[in-house]
Amino acid sequence: MSANSPSILNVSTYRFVALDELPALRDHLHAEAEARDLKGTVLLAEEGINLFLAGPAEAVNGWLAVLRADARFADLPAKESWSETQPFERLKVKVKREIIRMNMPTVRPQGGRAPAVSPATVARWLADGHDDAGREVVMLDTRNGFEVDAGAFDNAIDWRLEKFSDFPAALAAHRDTLQDKTIVSYCTGGIRCEKAALVMQDLGLTHSYQLEGGILKYFEETEGAPHWHGGCFVFDEREVLDPALQAAPVGRRPAKASAT
C-alpha cells in the first residue's frame, strides 16, 4: 500500500456456529479489540458471530488472528475494504439472542447452510437471462427498503421491508409467484440472505439460493459489478460503497437505521 493510500482497514464477517459461554467470549474479544484500539461492533449469540471492525491493518489482523485461534472460527474469511478515516465511533461487543434477528427459532443456520451460488455464476446467469437449467432467475433483495434505495440488482424484487424480521411473512405472501423460478436471495455481506435462503427452502421453493458473500463479495469478484446499479449501503460512517469498495461521493444518501 502506497503512502497516499487509505490507512484504515475495514473488515466484516460472520459465521453461524454453535457457541456457548458467551459472556466469557464477549469479555475476551472485547479486551483484545480494546487493546488494539479497534472500533466497530461484534455480535455474539448461541447461533454464531457477526462483526464489523476497523483500525490499522496490523491491529485488525492481530485481532482476527486471536479470533481464528478458536477452532470454531478457524479459517474464517473476512471481507476487506479501506478508508481514510475510522468509520466507527466506538467499540461494542454484545451478546444477543440472534446475530441477525428474524424471530424464527426454528431456522437454525448453524445446523446446515442452504445452497449458495457464487458471484461469477450469478453474473453469468443474469447475462444469459436464465440459470443453467433454463429457468428464469430472479434476484430477491432481503434488505430494508432504505438500503435498497442506495443501489440494487437490476429488476430485483424489493418488498420494501422495514426490518429483516418482516421477511418470512413477505415471502409467504409471494410464494406462489416464485414457485417455478430460480431465486437468489442477496444482502450486504451474506448473513441475512443465508437465513432467508433457509426460509425459502422450508417453504418448498426448491430452486432457491443465497448469493455467496453478499453484495460486497459480488463487488469484489466481478468486474464492474454487472447488472447492478448504484452503491451498497453500509452501517458505518461511509454510508455507501461503490462497486470498487470505496466510499461513494457525497450526495443523496438514505438515512441511517438498524439492520434488524
Side-chain angles (χ1 to χ4, degrees), residues 52-72:
F52 305 83
L53 284 177
E58 182 177 359
V60 171
N61 288 325
W63 186 89
L64 287 173
V66 169
L67 179 67
R68 290 166 177 154
D70 185 322
R72 297 169 296 186

Side-chain angles (χ1 to χ4, degrees), residues 1 6-14 51-65 68 76-83 87-88 188-189 213-221 234 236 238 241-247:
M1 188 166 54
S7 60
I8 299 298
L9 175 60
N10 303 273
V11 295
S12 63
T13 188
Y14 74 94
L51 66 93
F52 305 83
L53 284 177
E58 182 177 359
V60 171
N61 288 325
W63 186 89
L64 287 173
R68 290 166 177 154
L76 180 65
K79 288 178 282 294
E80 298 184 353
S81 62
W82 295 87
S83 59
F88 299 104
T188 306
I215 299 162
L216 297 180
K217 183 60 69 174
Y218 188 82
F219 283 3
E220 180 182 337
E221 294 191 355
V234 289
D236 59 51
R238 295 173 297 171
L241 299 184
D242 64 21
L245 295 174
Q246 300 298 313

